Amino acid sequence: MSISIEEDVLRKFNALIKEEGFPTRSEAIKQLIKSALVQKQWQKGENIAGVITIIYDHHKSNVLQKIVESQHDFNDLVICSQHAHLDHTNCMENIIVQGTVEKIKCLHKRLASVKGIKHTVLSMTTTGGEF
Ligand code: NI
């Protein structure tokens, strides 16, 4: 494969490769192409895997109960969850999920609406079975 690219863009790309620590330019291009393909899979709503991370104050009433109830209501998606007591107040819950993008976003939305949650992030990926 050979591509044409403007000198200015190439210079910035080389700086990015160095900054991100890619071993070679080919590896960087390969990773970027895979990221684009994964993003396309999400958009098509195909089967994906992900992690929902939630930070919350466990002193707030019923937060944990609501988090657990949400997971049971979506038990076809939830593979497992991990809990960490970050400090005296804050807890972190990592929920590993697999399913359609639509359903996973629905679970994430429900968890994000639980009163007492400080922050939540949905990280989506794929097994990349097709590439
Ligand atoms: Ni905790």
Side-chain angles (χ1 to χ4, degrees):
M1 184 180 99
S2 116
I3 55 167
S4 301
I5 194 165
E6 293 87 355
E7 206 171 301
D8 184 44
V9 175
L10 182 61
R11 201 177 56 246
K12 286 175 183 168
F13 185 59
N14 285 337
L16 177 86
I17 290 167
K18 203 174 169 186
E19 205 177 298
E20 297 295 321
F22 288 107
T24 60
R25 193 184 290 170
S26 290
E27 191 58 36
I29 290 168
K30 199 163 77 184
Q31 290 299 327
L32 290 171
I33 290 170
K34 282 185 177 181
S35 290
L37 292 171
V38 168
Q39 205 166 4
K40 197 71 196 168
Q41 275 193 317
W42 298 348
Q43 286 166 0
K44 285 196 279 184
E46 290 174 3
N47 195 54
I48 58 128
V51 182
I52 299 171
T53 300
I54 307 164
I55 305 292
Y56 66 96
D57 177 349
H58 74 96
H59 294 117
K60 302 265 182 186
S61 61
N62 297 328
V63 179
L64 183 58
Q65 191 189 331
K66 283 175 187 166
I67 290 170
V68 171
E69 276 172 11
S70 301
Q71 290 181 69
H72 279 276
D73 288 346
F74 287 82
N75 68 347
D76 55 325
L77 299 181
V78 177
I79 295 171
C80 66
S81 64
Q82 180 185 49
H83 184 98
H85 311 297
L86 297 178
D87 54 38
H88 183 70
T89 305
N90 298 296
C91 294
M92 180 168 76
E93 190 96 357
N94 281 320
I95 305 165
I96 297 176
V97 291
Q98 189 171 26
T100 64
V101 175
E102 193 183 33
K103 277 187 167 180
I104 290 172
K105 280 184 175 172
C106 195
L107 171 59
H108 182 235
K109 205 170 161 185
R110 170 143 166 211
L111 288 163
S113 71
V114 173
K115 202 177 168 189
I117 283 182
K118 292 183 172 180
H119 182 62
T120 178
V121 180
L122 168 59
S123 166
M124 291 196 279
T125 184
T126 174
T127 57
E130 291 176 7
F131 45 85

